[in-house]
Short mmCIF file of all heavy atoms in Angstrom, two decimals:
data_model
loop_
_atom_site.label_atom_id
_atom_site.label_comp_id
_atom_site.label_asym_id
_atom_site.label_seq_id
_atom_site.Cartn_x
_atom_site.Cartn_y
_atom_site.Cartn_z
N ARG U 254 -23.81 -7.81 10.67
CA ARG U 254 -25.13 -7.59 10.06
C ARG U 254 -25.62 -6.17 10.24
O ARG U 254 -26.24 -5.59 9.36
CB ARG U 254 -26.13 -8.57 10.66
CG ARG U 254 -25.93 -10.02 10.24
CD ARG U 254 -27.05 -10.89 10.77
NE ARG U 254 -26.83 -12.30 10.47
CZ ARG U 254 -27.15 -12.88 9.32
NH1 ARG U 254 -27.69 -12.15 8.36
NH2 ARG U 254 -26.92 -14.16 9.13
N ARG U 255 -25.33 -5.59 11.40
CA ARG U 255 -25.81 -4.24 11.69
C ARG U 255 -25.04 -3.16 10.95
O ARG U 255 -25.59 -2.15 10.55
CB ARG U 255 -25.69 -3.96 13.20
CG ARG U 255 -26.68 -4.69 14.07
CD ARG U 255 -26.45 -4.32 15.52
NE ARG U 255 -27.36 -5.03 16.40
CZ ARG U 255 -28.60 -4.63 16.69
NH1 ARG U 255 -29.07 -3.52 16.13
NH2 ARG U 255 -29.37 -5.34 17.50
N ILE U 256 -23.75 -3.35 10.77
CA ILE U 256 -22.89 -2.22 10.43
C ILE U 256 -22.34 -2.23 9.02
O ILE U 256 -22.03 -1.18 8.45
CB ILE U 256 -21.73 -2.16 11.46
CG1 ILE U 256 -21.22 -0.73 11.61
CG2 ILE U 256 -20.59 -3.09 11.10
CD1 ILE U 256 -20.26 -0.56 12.75
N ALA U 257 -22.20 -3.40 8.43
CA ALA U 257 -21.39 -3.52 7.21
C ALA U 257 -22.16 -3.16 5.95
O ALA U 257 -23.35 -3.47 5.80
CB ALA U 257 -20.84 -4.94 7.08
N ASP U 258 -21.46 -2.52 5.03
CA ASP U 258 -21.89 -2.44 3.64
C ASP U 258 -21.25 -3.58 2.86
O ASP U 258 -21.87 -4.19 2.00
CB ASP U 258 -21.46 -1.11 3.01
CG ASP U 258 -22.10 0.07 3.70
OD1 ASP U 258 -23.33 0.09 3.85
OD2 ASP U 258 -21.36 1.00 4.10
N PHE U 259 -19.97 -3.82 3.18
CA PHE U 259 -19.20 -4.90 2.55
C PHE U 259 -18.61 -5.78 3.64
O PHE U 259 -18.31 -5.31 4.73
CB PHE U 259 -18.06 -4.34 1.69
CG PHE U 259 -18.53 -3.54 0.51
CD1 PHE U 259 -18.68 -2.16 0.59
CD2 PHE U 259 -18.81 -4.16 -0.70
CE1 PHE U 259 -19.11 -1.41 -0.49
CE2 PHE U 259 -19.25 -3.43 -1.79
CZ PHE U 259 -19.40 -2.05 -1.69
N LEU U 260 -18.44 -7.06 3.29
CA LEU U 260 -17.82 -8.02 4.20
C LEU U 260 -16.60 -8.64 3.53
O LEU U 260 -16.59 -8.86 2.32
CB LEU U 260 -18.79 -9.16 4.55
CG LEU U 260 -19.95 -8.88 5.50
CD1 LEU U 260 -20.75 -10.17 5.69
CD2 LEU U 260 -19.45 -8.37 6.84
N ALA U 261 -15.59 -8.90 4.34
CA ALA U 261 -14.45 -9.70 3.91
C ALA U 261 -14.19 -10.74 4.99
O ALA U 261 -14.21 -10.40 6.19
CB ALA U 261 -13.22 -8.83 3.70
N VAL U 262 -13.99 -11.98 4.59
CA VAL U 262 -13.82 -13.08 5.55
C VAL U 262 -12.40 -13.60 5.45
O VAL U 262 -11.93 -13.96 4.36
CB VAL U 262 -14.83 -14.21 5.29
CG1 VAL U 262 -14.68 -15.31 6.33
CG2 VAL U 262 -16.26 -13.66 5.32
N LEU U 263 -11.71 -13.62 6.59
CA LEU U 263 -10.30 -14.02 6.67
C LEU U 263 -10.20 -15.40 7.30
O LEU U 263 -10.78 -15.68 8.35
CB LEU U 263 -9.55 -12.99 7.52
CG LEU U 263 -8.07 -13.24 7.84
CD1 LEU U 263 -7.24 -13.29 6.56
CD2 LEU U 263 -7.54 -12.16 8.77
N TRP U 264 -9.43 -16.25 6.64
CA TRP U 264 -9.16 -17.59 7.20
C TRP U 264 -7.83 -18.08 6.66
O TRP U 264 -7.53 -17.89 5.47
CB TRP U 264 -10.28 -18.56 6.84
CG TRP U 264 -10.22 -19.86 7.59
CD1 TRP U 264 -9.94 -20.03 8.91
CD2 TRP U 264 -10.46 -21.17 7.08
NE1 TRP U 264 -9.99 -21.35 9.26
CE2 TRP U 264 -10.32 -22.08 8.16
CE3 TRP U 264 -10.78 -21.67 5.82
CZ2 TRP U 264 -10.49 -23.45 8.01
CZ3 TRP U 264 -10.96 -23.04 5.67
CH2 TRP U 264 -10.82 -23.92 6.75
N ASN U 265 -7.06 -18.69 7.52
CA ASN U 265 -5.75 -19.24 7.13
C ASN U 265 -4.89 -18.20 6.42
O ASN U 265 -4.19 -18.51 5.46
CB ASN U 265 -5.92 -20.48 6.25
CG ASN U 265 -6.35 -21.70 7.05
OD1 ASN U 265 -6.23 -21.73 8.28
ND2 ASN U 265 -6.86 -22.71 6.37
N GLY U 266 -4.96 -16.96 6.88
CA GLY U 266 -4.06 -15.93 6.37
C GLY U 266 -4.46 -15.31 5.05
O GLY U 266 -3.71 -14.51 4.50
N LYS U 267 -5.66 -15.66 4.54
CA LYS U 267 -6.11 -15.12 3.26
C LYS U 267 -7.55 -14.66 3.36
O LYS U 267 -8.31 -15.11 4.22
CB LYS U 267 -6.03 -16.19 2.15
CG LYS U 267 -4.63 -16.65 1.79
CD LYS U 267 -4.69 -17.65 0.65
CE LYS U 267 -3.30 -18.07 0.21
NZ LYS U 267 -3.35 -19.01 -0.94
N ILE U 268 -7.93 -13.76 2.47
CA ILE U 268 -9.33 -13.42 2.30
C ILE U 268 -9.96 -14.50 1.43
O ILE U 268 -9.59 -14.67 0.27
CB ILE U 268 -9.50 -12.04 1.64
CG1 ILE U 268 -8.85 -10.95 2.51
CG2 ILE U 268 -10.98 -11.74 1.40
CD1 ILE U 268 -9.45 -10.80 3.89
N VAL U 269 -10.91 -15.23 2.02
CA VAL U 269 -11.51 -16.33 1.26
C VAL U 269 -12.77 -15.90 0.53
O VAL U 269 -13.20 -16.58 -0.43
CB VAL U 269 -11.80 -17.55 2.17
CG1 VAL U 269 -10.50 -18.15 2.66
CG2 VAL U 269 -12.70 -17.18 3.33
N GLU U 270 -13.36 -14.79 0.97
CA GLU U 270 -14.49 -14.25 0.21
C GLU U 270 -14.71 -12.80 0.64
O GLU U 270 -14.52 -12.44 1.80
CB GLU U 270 -15.77 -15.06 0.45
CG GLU U 270 -16.92 -14.62 -0.45
CD GLU U 270 -17.77 -15.78 -0.93
OE1 GLU U 270 -17.45 -16.94 -0.61
OE2 GLU U 270 -18.75 -15.52 -1.64
N SER U 271 -15.13 -11.96 -0.30
CA SER U 271 -15.46 -10.58 0.01
C SER U 271 -16.49 -10.08 -0.99
O SER U 271 -16.61 -10.60 -2.11
CB SER U 271 -14.21 -9.70 -0.01
OG SER U 271 -13.64 -9.66 -1.31
N GLY U 272 -17.21 -9.05 -0.59
CA GLY U 272 -18.21 -8.47 -1.46
C GLY U 272 -19.30 -7.79 -0.67
O GLY U 272 -19.19 -7.63 0.56
N PRO U 273 -20.39 -7.37 -1.32
CA PRO U 273 -21.52 -6.79 -0.60
C PRO U 273 -22.03 -7.75 0.47
O PRO U 273 -22.04 -8.97 0.29
CB PRO U 273 -22.57 -6.58 -1.70
CG PRO U 273 -21.76 -6.45 -2.96
CD PRO U 273 -20.60 -7.38 -2.79
N LYS U 274 -22.46 -7.19 1.59
CA LYS U 274 -22.84 -8.00 2.76
C LYS U 274 -23.84 -9.10 2.41
O LYS U 274 -23.64 -10.27 2.79
CB LYS U 274 -23.43 -7.08 3.83
CG LYS U 274 -23.99 -7.79 5.05
CD LYS U 274 -24.49 -6.81 6.09
CE LYS U 274 -25.60 -5.92 5.58
NZ LYS U 274 -26.09 -4.99 6.62
N GLU U 275 -24.87 -8.76 1.69
CA GLU U 275 -25.92 -9.74 1.41
C GLU U 275 -25.38 -10.91 0.60
O GLU U 275 -25.75 -12.07 0.83
CB GLU U 275 -27.08 -9.08 0.65
CG GLU U 275 -27.83 -8.01 1.45
CD GLU U 275 -27.10 -6.67 1.48
OE1 GLU U 275 -26.07 -6.54 0.76
OE2 GLU U 275 -27.54 -5.78 2.21
N GLU U 276 -24.48 -10.62 -0.34
CA GLU U 276 -23.91 -11.68 -1.18
C GLU U 276 -23.04 -12.61 -0.36
O GLU U 276 -23.06 -13.84 -0.54
CB GLU U 276 -23.12 -11.08 -2.33
CG GLU U 276 -23.97 -10.34 -3.35
CD GLU U 276 -23.13 -9.79 -4.48
OE1 GLU U 276 -21.94 -10.14 -4.58
OE2 GLU U 276 -23.67 -8.99 -5.29
N VAL U 277 -22.23 -12.04 0.54
CA VAL U 277 -21.31 -12.88 1.33
C VAL U 277 -22.10 -13.74 2.31
O VAL U 277 -21.77 -14.92 2.53
CB VAL U 277 -20.27 -12.01 2.05
CG1 VAL U 277 -19.38 -12.86 2.94
CG2 VAL U 277 -19.42 -11.25 1.03
N PHE U 278 -23.14 -13.19 2.93
CA PHE U 278 -23.95 -14.01 3.84
C PHE U 278 -24.67 -15.15 3.11
O PHE U 278 -25.01 -16.15 3.72
CB PHE U 278 -24.97 -13.14 4.59
CG PHE U 278 -24.46 -12.64 5.91
CD1 PHE U 278 -24.07 -11.31 6.07
CD2 PHE U 278 -24.36 -13.49 7.01
CE1 PHE U 278 -23.60 -10.85 7.28
CE2 PHE U 278 -23.89 -13.03 8.23
CZ PHE U 278 -23.51 -11.71 8.38
N ASP U 279 -24.86 -15.01 1.80
CA ASP U 279 -25.47 -16.08 1.01
C ASP U 279 -24.44 -16.98 0.33
O ASP U 279 -24.78 -17.79 -0.53
CB ASP U 279 -26.38 -15.48 -0.08
CG ASP U 279 -27.66 -14.91 0.51
OD1 ASP U 279 -28.04 -15.32 1.62
OD2 ASP U 279 -28.28 -14.05 -0.15
N SER U 280 -23.18 -16.87 0.72
CA SER U 280 -22.10 -17.60 0.07
C SER U 280 -22.30 -19.12 0.16
O SER U 280 -22.79 -19.65 1.16
CB SER U 280 -20.76 -17.23 0.71
OG SER U 280 -19.72 -18.06 0.22
N SER U 281 -21.86 -19.79 -0.91
CA SER U 281 -21.84 -21.26 -0.90
C SER U 281 -20.49 -21.82 -0.51
O SER U 281 -20.31 -23.04 -0.44
CB SER U 281 -22.24 -21.79 -2.30
OG SER U 281 -21.30 -21.33 -3.27
N ASN U 282 -19.52 -20.93 -0.26
CA ASN U 282 -18.20 -21.36 0.20
C ASN U 282 -18.35 -22.11 1.52
O ASN U 282 -18.97 -21.61 2.45
CB ASN U 282 -17.32 -20.11 0.38
CG ASN U 282 -15.92 -20.43 0.84
OD1 ASN U 282 -15.73 -21.01 1.89
ND2 ASN U 282 -14.93 -20.02 0.05
N PRO U 283 -17.81 -23.33 1.64
CA PRO U 283 -18.04 -24.15 2.84
C PRO U 283 -17.63 -23.46 4.14
O PRO U 283 -18.40 -23.47 5.11
CB PRO U 283 -17.20 -25.40 2.58
CG PRO U 283 -17.06 -25.47 1.12
CD PRO U 283 -17.01 -24.05 0.63
N PHE U 284 -16.45 -22.87 4.17
CA PHE U 284 -16.02 -22.21 5.40
C PHE U 284 -16.86 -20.97 5.69
O PHE U 284 -17.30 -20.75 6.82
CB PHE U 284 -14.55 -21.83 5.32
CG PHE U 284 -14.15 -20.90 6.44
CD1 PHE U 284 -13.95 -21.39 7.72
CD2 PHE U 284 -14.04 -19.53 6.23
CE1 PHE U 284 -13.64 -20.54 8.77
CE2 PHE U 284 -13.72 -18.67 7.27
CZ PHE U 284 -13.52 -19.17 8.54
N VAL U 285 -17.04 -20.13 4.69
CA VAL U 285 -17.78 -18.88 4.88
C VAL U 285 -19.20 -19.17 5.34
O VAL U 285 -19.71 -18.55 6.28
CB VAL U 285 -17.78 -18.05 3.58
CG1 VAL U 285 -18.66 -16.80 3.74
CG2 VAL U 285 -16.37 -17.65 3.21
N ASN U 286 -19.84 -20.13 4.71
CA ASN U 286 -21.21 -20.50 5.08
C ASN U 286 -21.26 -20.99 6.52
O ASN U 286 -22.16 -20.60 7.29
CB ASN U 286 -21.73 -21.56 4.12
CG ASN U 286 -23.19 -21.90 4.38
OD1 ASN U 286 -23.51 -22.72 5.22
ND2 ASN U 286 -24.08 -21.24 3.64
N GLN U 287 -20.30 -21.82 6.90
CA GLN U 287 -20.28 -22.33 8.28
C GLN U 287 -20.07 -21.20 9.27
O GLN U 287 -20.79 -21.08 10.27
CB GLN U 287 -19.16 -23.37 8.44
CG GLN U 287 -19.08 -23.91 9.87
CD GLN U 287 -17.80 -24.68 10.15
OE1 GLN U 287 -16.88 -24.69 9.33
NE2 GLN U 287 -17.74 -25.32 11.31
N PHE U 288 -19.09 -20.35 9.01
CA PHE U 288 -18.75 -19.30 9.96
C PHE U 288 -19.87 -18.27 10.10
O PHE U 288 -20.24 -17.88 11.21
CB PHE U 288 -17.45 -18.60 9.53
CG PHE U 288 -16.98 -17.57 10.51
CD1 PHE U 288 -16.36 -17.95 11.69
CD2 PHE U 288 -17.17 -16.21 10.28
CE1 PHE U 288 -15.93 -17.01 12.61
CE2 PHE U 288 -16.76 -15.27 11.19
CZ PHE U 288 -16.13 -15.66 12.36
N LEU U 289 -20.43 -17.85 8.99
CA LEU U 289 -21.44 -16.79 9.04
C LEU U 289 -22.79 -17.27 9.54
O LEU U 289 -23.65 -16.45 9.88
CB LEU U 289 -21.59 -16.14 7.67
CG LEU U 289 -20.36 -15.38 7.15
CD1 LEU U 289 -20.67 -14.69 5.83
CD2 LEU U 289 -19.88 -14.36 8.17
N HIS U 290 -22.98 -18.59 9.63
CA HIS U 290 -24.23 -19.12 10.16
C HIS U 290 -24.00 -19.88 11.47
O HIS U 290 -24.91 -20.55 11.97
CB HIS U 290 -24.92 -20.01 9.13
CG HIS U 290 -25.38 -19.25 7.92
ND1 HIS U 290 -24.57 -19.04 6.82
CD2 HIS U 290 -26.54 -18.59 7.66
CE1 HIS U 290 -25.23 -18.30 5.94
NE2 HIS U 290 -26.42 -18.02 6.41
N ALA U 291 -22.76 -19.78 12.00
CA ALA U 291 -22.43 -20.41 13.29
C ALA U 291 -22.81 -21.89 13.31
O ALA U 291 -23.38 -22.41 14.28
CB ALA U 291 -23.10 -19.65 14.44
N ASP U 292 -22.46 -22.57 12.23
CA ASP U 292 -22.80 -23.98 12.08
C ASP U 292 -21.67 -24.83 12.66
O ASP U 292 -20.49 -24.53 12.44
CB ASP U 292 -23.01 -24.30 10.59
CG ASP U 292 -23.70 -25.62 10.36
OD1 ASP U 292 -23.69 -26.48 11.28
OD2 ASP U 292 -24.25 -25.82 9.26
N VAL U 293 -22.00 -25.87 13.37
CA VAL U 293 -20.96 -26.74 13.94
C VAL U 293 -20.38 -27.69 12.90
O VAL U 293 -19.33 -28.31 13.13
CB VAL U 293 -21.50 -27.55 15.15
CG1 VAL U 293 -21.93 -26.61 16.25
CG2 VAL U 293 -22.66 -28.46 14.72
N THR U 294 -21.03 -27.81 11.76
CA THR U 294 -20.57 -28.72 10.71
C THR U 294 -19.88 -27.93 9.60
O THR U 294 -20.44 -26.98 9.06
CB THR U 294 -21.77 -29.49 10.10
OG1 THR U 294 -22.46 -30.18 11.14
CG2 THR U 294 -21.28 -30.48 9.06
N GLY U 295 -18.64 -28.34 9.29
CA GLY U 295 -17.90 -27.66 8.26
C GLY U 295 -16.40 -27.72 8.51
O GLY U 295 -15.94 -28.43 9.42
#
Side-chain angles (χ1 to χ4, degrees):
R254 289 186 185 276
R255 288 180 181 275
I256 207 170
D258 298 308
F259 295 93
L260 287 180
V262 182
L263 176 62
W264 192 42
N265 285 343
K267 294 183 177 182
I268 300 298
V269 293
E270 186 143 358
S271 63
K274 174 177 60 179
E275 296 79 7
E276 293 181 11
V277 176
F278 268 105
D279 287 338
S280 172
S281 61
N282 181 300
F284 168 76
V285 175
N286 185 275
Q287 179 193 8
F288 184 77
L289 295 185
H290 294 88
D292 195 340
V293 297
T294 303

